[in-house]
Amino acid sequence: MDLTYLIYLFLIGAITYWYFKSIHSHWTKQNIPSVPDPLPIFGHMLPAIIMKENVSDFVQRAYNNFKASFVGFYFMHKPGIIVRDPDLVKCVLQTNYSSFRDNFVALSEKNDPLMARSPFFTNDVNTWKEGRNRISNHLSAKQLKYLFAVSEEVCNRMSTFMERKIQENGESYEVNLKNLFTRCTGELVANAAFAIEGQSFEDNPEDLSFTKVTKTLFESSFVKEILLFFFPSIAHFFGVSLLQTKTEEYMRQNIKSILEKRQRTGSAPNDYLQFTTELNANFDDILADVVNFYVDTYDTTSSAVANLFYNLSRNPDIQTKLRDHIMSVLKDANGQVTYESLKNMTYLEQVIHESMRMTPSLAFQPKRCTEEITLKGNDGLTCHLKPGDPILIPVVGIQHDEKYWPNPEIFDPDRFSPENRAKNNRYTFLAFGEGPRICVGIRLALMLVKQITASLIIRFVIEHSSKTKVPLEYEASPIFFGFKGGLWGRFKKLSLSSQESKL
């Protein structure tokens, strides 16, 4: 081999080694403890890139292995920090919000014109404010009551569906809980945002039914997830989108057809689509709001309900106490779950919050530095951040830390009783986020989770299924959070005499 060629190779290798050695000494120079053994190019992200683990596994491990207020790591070639101190979480999400405005994953308006308008996926200040204000205006108390009425009908159909399944299978119905509750939330969206029957409770829905077509909304692939999360510039260049093109076209055509029909007939039903129409003159804004409603309701809400029923299946005493509480509230409502009666189901709200503490829908919250800032932890450590630096907030780590939650692996809804909640540091419970970018649909989400839970728990008992792999492990995915093997439960019909004696 030519000596000159060998010299060139040596120089290239030496320069490459020096470059990454220099990058990976970033936290050492600031005297910040950091996760050891970053790799060239990939930093600490290679196991997640090759789908060996979820990023949340890495975040949780770093949280457990260090005691400092923040821990350095390398997201590819970029230095980032994992925030371990609730006071620093407050700084990132609230106090110094202008320095951490951006969420980590931002979608391209060219490739994802609808999803990029979502307050969660946009980092453009004006787009974020406009989108958030629109959604807030769609979810006033008056409008929530209308959505409750739509959801009530869906819950009744779901109960009928489950009774049929129990009868078909003997005495019980064993089911993947996320799959079950996406039937419910999917049908709700079909009814409230598309004014159609979604066929979600049909065993053999039509090929062009809402439930079949929109299951592809987040139909993902290894390559797509990796590109969007780890290589966004490449993803944007090659036109990678989060929302499937065929799903977007389906929604666009259907919404356009429905609006044209309403204009011709002069009809204006009290549903989510009508709320958006009355507030938006631009069709793309209407469509974007409907898609955002679908995303938040279909996936996030169904995950919250699935996690809740899993936790109830593991804690039968809590389940019984919850059922007794709900039935006692319903005595004053003629045995019916109503919008007003939900407000009095205080213990149900405690159970929901405890479930979200134990099994949050987002295992960690990724942010990005937008303005240069120096953070100081309670342990005296200081950390200088520049625009573009990633910040990861370990939601599971904090919510399972015995420093803030004694006996954190025990399911105890009393942690969220009024007297205890007043003592809790609000930045140790991050299921909805905090600060200006706190979940904009929190009122809707709580109403739906309470409504679905109350309507089912007074009719059915849920038991633990051995199909659930315990302890729970997150699936290897950089964007979505699900549990390996899924969460399963076994439903049985509650005896009529038991219901009647308590109502």
Side-chain angles (χ1 to χ4, degrees):
M1 184 179 290
D2 187 88
L3 181 60
T4 304
Y5 183 66
L6 286 175
I7 292 173
Y8 281 146
L9 283 178
F10 175 78
L11 288 174
I12 291 171
I15 292 171
T16 302
Y17 175 81
W18 173 84
Y19 172 73
F20 284 108
K21 188 72 174 176
S22 175
I23 289 176
H24 293 160
S25 64
H26 179 86
W27 295 122
T28 303
K29 292 175 182 177
Q30 292 198 44
N31 295 316
I32 300 296
S34 61
V35 181
D37 305 323
L39 297 174
I41 302 176
F42 302 107
H44 293 104
M45 295 296 107
L46 184 59
I49 291 174
I50 63 175
M51 306 294 275
K52 187 177 180 181
E53 69 175 11
N54 194 296
V55 178
S56 62
D57 297 322
F58 165 76
V59 175
Q60 181 67 21
R61 197 163 53 248
Y63 186 91
N64 291 337
N65 291 343
F66 291 84
K67 300 301 178 185
S69 52
F70 32 67
V71 179
F73 76 103
Y74 295 92
F75 186 90
M76 313 303 285
H77 65 282
K78 292 285 293 182
I81 60 167
I82 297 168
V83 176
R84 295 187 72 261
D85 185 344
D87 288 341
L88 288 175
V89 173
K90 179 181 180 180
C91 177
V92 171
L93 298 181
Q94 180 78 55
T95 313
N96 294 95
Y97 168 73
S98 62
S99 294
F100 304 97
R101 249 189 346 258
D102 292 355
N103 281 343
F104 191 76
V105 179
L107 301 178
S108 162
E109 287 191 26
K110 179 181 177 182
N111 302 331
D112 257 309
L114 296 180
M115 293 298 292
R117 290 168 177 252
S118 163
F120 185 82
F121 287 112
T122 185
N123 286 332
D124 179 80
V125 176
N126 292 328
T127 304
W128 171 72
K129 284 183 178 179
E130 291 171 3
R132 192 174 178 87
N133 288 337
R134 286 201 313 272
I135 293 170
S136 295
N137 290 331
H138 301 334
L139 300 176
S140 67
K142 180 180 178 181
Q143 289 158 332
L144 286 177
K145 287 184 179 180
Y146 289 134
L147 291 177
F148 179 92
V150 177
S151 183
E152 181 180 27
E153 175 58 30
V154 172
C155 287
N156 289 336
R157 273 182 271 161
M158 184 175 187
S159 294
T160 301
F161 166 81
M162 290 178 64
E163 286 179 359
R164 174 168 64 84
K165 286 295 182 182
I166 290 172
Q167 188 174 14
E168 290 174 355
N169 290 277
E171 296 183 353
S172 65
Y173 175 43
E174 191 171 33
V175 63
N176 180 304
L177 296 173
K178 179 63 184 292
N179 292 345
L180 173 66
F181 290 114
T182 53
R183 286 179 183 266
C184 183
T185 55
E187 190 66 22
L188 172 62
V189 174
N191 286 214
F194 289 83
I196 59 175
E197 296 294 323
Q199 300 185 33
S200 303
F201 300 116
E202 299 292 330
D203 292 334
N204 298 296
E206 298 171 5
D207 289 340
L208 293 179
S209 65
F210 183 88
T211 186
K212 262 203 170 182
V213 173
T214 55
K215 275 184 179 178
T216 65
L217 176 64
F218 285 131
E219 194 173 75
S220 193
S221 68
F222 169 85
V223 175
K224 175 190 283 191
E225 291 188 40
I226 295 303
L227 288 176
L228 285 171
F229 192 77
F230 296 105
F231 307 98
S233 297
I234 297 175
H236 296 169
F237 179 80
F238 284 104
V240 177
S241 63
L242 185 61
L243 182 64
Q244 293 286 311
T245 303
K246 59 183 179 181
T247 306
E248 178 183 335
E249 189 57 33
Y250 173 88
M251 291 186 168
R252 185 177 294 275
Q253 290 179 357
N254 275 273
I255 292 296
K256 186 176 181 181
S257 175
I258 294 167
L259 292 180
E260 288 175 347
K261 181 179 179 180
R262 290 186 178 184
Q263 191 171 22
R264 286 196 312 271
T265 61
S267 63
N270 292 313
D271 57 20
Y272 192 82
L273 177 57
Q274 191 61 32
F275 304 158
T276 65
T277 305
E278 291 170 356
L279 288 170
N280 295 319
N282 184 295
F283 177 74
D284 282 344
D285 285 341
I286 294 172
L287 189 57
D289 287 352
V290 169
V291 170
N292 188 75
F293 176 72
Y294 178 88
V295 173
D296 288 345
T297 305
Y298 178 83
D299 189 70
T300 309
T301 303
S302 62
S303 292
V305 182
N307 294 351
L308 172 59
F309 272 84
Y310 163 75
N311 285 313
L312 289 176
S313 75
R314 298 275 290 179
N315 296 274
D317 291 345
I318 299 294
Q319 182 182 163
T320 299
K321 182 178 178 180
L322 174 62
R323 183 177 294 108
D324 291 345
H325 166 73
I326 292 173
M327 288 182 170
S328 68
V329 172
L330 295 184
K331 280 185 177 180
D332 297 326
N334 297 319
Q336 299 297 312
V337 178
T338 65
Y339 181 80
E340 288 72 23
S341 66
L342 284 185
K343 297 177 183 178
N344 297 322
M345 296 181 188
T346 53
Y347 187 68
L348 171 55
E349 192 158 322
Q350 291 176 211
V351 171
I352 291 170
H353 280 83
E354 176 65 353
S355 178
M356 289 181 165
R357 183 196 68 82
M358 290 282 286
T359 47
S361 297
L362 289 178
F364 69 94
Q365 186 174 347
K367 303 289 292 182
R368 194 184 297 277
C369 181
T370 50
E371 293 179 3
E372 198 164 342
I373 188 173
T374 298
L375 297 178
K376 185 173 183 178
N378 289 330
D379 52 6
L381 287 176
T382 58
C383 169
H384 188 72
L385 297 170
K386 295 181 179 180
D389 289 349
I391 300 95
L392 302 182
I393 298 173
V395 176
V396 171
I398 292 174
Q399 292 186 177
H400 282 250
D401 193 329
E402 61 183 5
K403 181 178 179 181
Y404 315 115
W405 305 98
N407 301 312
E409 303 309 317
I410 294 177
F411 189 83
D412 181 10
D414 287 336
R415 300 179 199 273
F416 292 92
S417 65
E419 56 273 21
N420 287 331
R421 196 162 186 179
K423 303 173 188 175
N424 296 339
N425 183 331
R426 62 186 293 182
Y427 293 93
T428 61
F429 178 72
L430 302 165
F432 295 104
E434 269 295 346
R437 292 194 82 143
I438 192 172
C439 174
V440 66
I442 185 171
R443 292 176 65 200
L444 172 64
L446 280 174
M447 182 192 79
L448 293 178
V449 175
K450 291 174 77 172
Q451 184 179 11
I452 295 168
T453 304
S455 67
L456 294 182
I457 208 70
I458 61 173
R459 295 177 173 90
F460 306 97
V461 174
I462 183 168
E463 298 176 348
H464 177 64
S465 167
S466 59
K467 288 187 178 181
T468 304
K469 296 180 180 178
V470 181
L472 300 180
E473 294 181 40
Y474 284 104
E475 292 178 332
S477 167
I479 294 180
F480 301 110
F481 294 95
F483 295 104
K484 289 181 180 178
L487 301 179
W488 291 73
R490 183 183 293 104
F491 285 92
K492 292 183 178 180
K493 193 171 180 180
L494 191 67
S495 67
L496 186 62
S497 59
S498 176
Q499 285 178 292
E500 291 176 339
S501 64
K502 295 177 182 178
L503 286 177

